[in-house]
Amino acid sequence: MAQAKVLSFGSLNLDFVYQVDHIVLGGETIDAGEVATHCGGKGLNQSIALARGGADVAHAGIVGVDGQALLDICRESGVDVSRVHVDEGRSGHTIIQVDKHGQNSIILFGGTNRGVTQAYIDEALEGYGEGDLIVLQNEVNMLPQIIESAAARGMRVVLNPSPFDARIDECDLSRVWLFFVNEIEGEQITGK
């Protein structure tokens, strides 16, 4: 029996983290003590965790021309990025303020993560089928279509419904084989 293949389909973000005395107020300008750039996005993080845990995993997603570091860290971690498209736009990114008490404030820009089309979904799923796993989160567009397309191929759909928003309500959650949730997302889905 062939081993199930794993496709992680999701976001690839550049995280710009600014250390500040306090979270900036409306109309205020403050100095940042330091800034660091990190590779992130729930999709990238899930791919790297799977690969470092020993899974043979490929990533599907879209990066901008500024996303070479995202591809590099995936490759260095053992993630197959041959299905990742590079687009002319800007990669998804976050601007994160972290104050001296560790409190943060995050702005998320979807960028190329929001460029998924049905044609790309079909291309990314090529070669996957019955019993293979697809690992998803809610940081790319067309999540309902990805779930439906993967389920129609007999793939087992694994979903981290984060960030939880109205787009989750558009998904056929009966198609999900396994949920990865924390207590807040569990309550948001079940109402309990």
Side-chain angles (χ1 to χ4, degrees):
M1 176 180 222
Q3 183 174 346
K5 296 181 283 187
V6 180
L7 177 65
S8 177
F9 196 135
S11 59
L12 300 131
N13 289 335
L14 293 167
D15 296 334
F16 302 105
V17 182
Y18 297 85
Q19 299 296 324
V20 293
D21 181 65
H22 62 275
I23 304 299
V24 69
L25 302 172
E28 181 182 28
T29 301
I30 61 174
D31 285 327
E34 57 185 86
V35 63
T37 303
H38 303 281
C39 295
K42 288 178 181 17
L44 176 138
N45 293 340
Q46 290 173 168
S47 291
I48 289 175
L50 286 162
R52 290 181 179 172
D56 183 11
V57 61
H59 188 93
I62 304 172
V63 296
V65 292
D66 58 347
Q68 188 60 49
L70 300 167
L71 298 174
D72 291 345
I73 195 167
C74 283
R75 283 188 193 103
E76 291 164 12
S77 299
V79 177
D80 173 1
V81 293
S82 62
R83 294 170 190 268
V84 175
H85 277 207
V86 178
D87 189 51
E88 292 299 315
R90 290 191 67 187
S91 294
H93 64 267
T94 60
I95 297 172
I96 305 171
Q97 299 176 65
V98 180
D99 74 13
K100 62 185 176 186
H101 303 292
Q103 181 65 278
N104 67 31
S105 175
I106 302 172
I107 298 171
L108 172 65
F109 173 72
T112 53
N113 291 316
R114 303 288 188 204
V116 174
T117 64
Q118 186 63 53
Y120 177 66
I121 294 168
D122 296 340
E123 180 182 330
L125 297 181
E126 188 64 38
Y128 288 91
E130 192 71 36
D132 291 333
L133 294 170
I134 185 165
V135 181
L136 303 168
Q137 37 56 57
N138 192 26
E139 288 187 343
V140 296
N141 66 310
M142 297 197 65
L143 185 60
Q145 293 85 353
I146 298 169
I147 290 171
E148 186 57 38
S149 296
R153 291 173 173 265
M155 296 179 76
R156 292 179 288 173
V157 177
V158 178
L159 176 63
N160 172 357
S162 180
F164 189 91
D165 60 24
R167 291 180 300 160
I168 294 295
D169 293 332
E170 299 169 16
C171 299
D172 180 356
L173 298 182
S174 71
R175 298 289 221 161
V176 177
W177 178 71
L178 180 69
F179 288 94
F180 285 132
V181 296
N182 62 25
E183 62 190 32
I184 294 174
E185 293 146 1
E187 180 181 349
Q188 290 170 319
I189 288 175
T190 65
K192 298 181 182 189

